[in-house]
Amino acid sequence: MEAGSRSVVSSPRFGDDWWQRGIIYQIYPRSFAATDGDGVGDLPGIIDHLDYLGPAGLGIDAIWLSPFYRSPGLDLGYDVSDHALVDPLFGTDEDFDRLVAEAHRRGIRVVLDLVMNHTSDAHRWFVSSRMDRSGPYADWYLWRDPAGFDVDGRPLPPNNWVSFFGGPGWQWEPARGQFYYHTFLAEQPEMDWRTPAVEEAQFDIVRGWLARGVDGFRLDVFNAFLKHPDLPSNPTRPGTSEWRRQIHLHDRDQADFPDLIGRFRSVLDAAAERMSVGEIFDGSVETSAELTTDHHLVFDWELLEADWTAPAIRAAIARRESAFGPDRWPTAVLSNHDRPRHASRFASSITGAATDPIARAAAVLLMTIRGTPFLYYGEELGMTDVEIPLEDSVDPPARWAGPDFVWWDRSPCRTPMPWSSAPGSGFTVGRPWLRFGPDVATRNVAAQAADPTSILATYRSLIALRAATPVLQVGALRLLEADDADVIAYVRETSHALVLVLFNVGRRPARQRLPAADSPLGWRCRFGTSMLTPSPRVIKPDVVVDLAPDEALVLEALR
Ligand code: GLC
């Protein structure tokens, strides 16, 4: 495709409000589908499965691709050595252009993951920057003189900042006689966004991807871009790790950061229909809400961290609703490439639970709470975390985790997508870069596509229901009082439609009276986790319904 000739999204389901109404599917390219036998997923593999994702399949509206840029791969692509090029591991630049065109042809938009807080130490900017203090990139990274020298003549770091990945945050560079800061690996030096040329270079990269047809961006750890200009030490407090023993006052969430996001948005707003979503780094739901603006979403981690109990889920929903209020649009996220898969996480948060029923009920939660759903690949099959022995894990911080640095290994939630029961599970003809789960012979796309009772069938029905029901896309959310301590009840409503959602997240049956005041004419069942086809019959306005453990129901008010 010629530079600047943006491929057009053909008949998308939604227009400029797609970032609000649509569903965004996260692909971890390494684990989606491998076409060249090296056991690592690639861009052609994604192209091969667009029909599975598109309107004739799952029915999502956009794909978010975790990084596929040139990278030494120490943080599996979040250490970028060239932001504008495809890493040969994942294919070619032509493959990328083809992916955009093929996705657009099916009405699927494409969202890229931009890693702009840091680069790889192999990036040419850093290679030059670390050489001396006077080159063109000398001030592109966070360089500082030592605070002094210890009795042995060793340089002392400029302040007390540490790395989120464990250990010191400052790395000594003898060539410059200075330290540089890194929030993550020492091989991921932090950029200095207060240097105007850095902002310009980053925005140029953004413009380049926009010209190639990209529809949106996920911004990696975006609230960490700006640091306090003087880099003061953070205040300290008691905590369970070096990172937690600091109050992160000066290394993120700076007062002038919203202006930077405003400038970033004006680059995107030069064209229509482009969205962005910020990954809040180690921050609260209130910060997420404050940084949310038009067409710019911000993840919050309330539901990603909640236990599978009614009080925990209700509290998470209530906190989100009060933080975002009616005017800011939240996201809905239960899983991603950094956290345990939600079926595993929820099931292990209580006793006596199986993952599949929870996966079905969680699908209802994801598709019916207020906010743009982000669906992590494989969740639609009810995938669980796969046990990976530490020696096979490919998550660097997992290797140095210990009592004072607790780390959840991220490999178990990044395992390959099982497409079929063929050798290599239809993912690869080679040796997969991470192993499959023990249930791969039955938990795969082919098996679930043929089974109308599967979790995949649940997702397909729910996604179709959401697409056909505007109140589920844009309606306000109101939590209701439940009759049973294990029941969660909420409505989604607009001035002319109302949908009631009920869950029993307890281990025993529960009963709930329907709120007649919200629908004097009664209800129609639109979806139930234990029904193959929803019952078309009309339910009386104040009937008492029985809910089995992990059952969820979606009822529409008759008007
Ligand atoms: C984000 C990414 C994570 C990565 C980190 C550093 O949190 O989601 O995978 O390790 O940033 O780039």
Side-chain angles (χ1 to χ4, degrees), residues 144-156:
R144 284 299 183 275
D145 291 335
F149 294 86
D150 70 8
V151 284
D152 300 319
R154 281 189 298 253
L156 297 167

Side-chain angles (χ1 to χ4, degrees), residues 390-474:
L390 196 56
E391 62 272 21
D392 291 350
S393 172
V394 199
D395 186 19
R399 286 200 292 275
W400 50 82
D404 198 45
F405 173 59
V406 180
W407 188 257
W408 60 101
D409 187 354
R410 296 176 295 178
S411 295
C413 73
R414 296 174 172 176
T415 60
M417 180 83 169
W419 293 99
S420 72
S421 55
S425 300
F427 167 74
T428 182
V429 292
R431 185 168 178 267
W433 76 285
L434 279 178
R435 64 179 65 185
F436 291 100
D439 55 357
V440 67
T442 49
R443 193 181 301 281
N444 60 61
V445 171
Q448 293 205 11
D451 173 4
T453 68
S454 66
I455 296 175
L456 181 58
T458 298
Y459 267 94
R460 281 188 175 156
S461 310
L462 274 168
I463 291 172
L465 171 66
R466 195 176 189 280
T469 316
V471 63
L472 285 178
Q473 299 153 19
V474 296

Side-chain angles (χ1 to χ4, degrees), residues 72 80-83 119-128 141 205:
V80 179
S81 56
D82 193 323
H83 296 84
T119 66
S120 157
D121 63 348
H123 196 294
R124 65 187 172 81
W125 297 340
F126 188 72
V127 171
S128 164
Y141 292 83
I205 290 162

Side-chain angles (χ1 to χ4, degrees), residues 75 78 118 165 184 218 220-221 279 337-338 410 414:
D75 191 19
Y78 285 91
H118 45 269
F165 277 175
F184 300 98
R218 177 248 190 203
D220 191 58
V221 296
E279 184 210 18
H337 65 291
D338 288 329
R410 296 176 295 178
R414 296 174 172 176

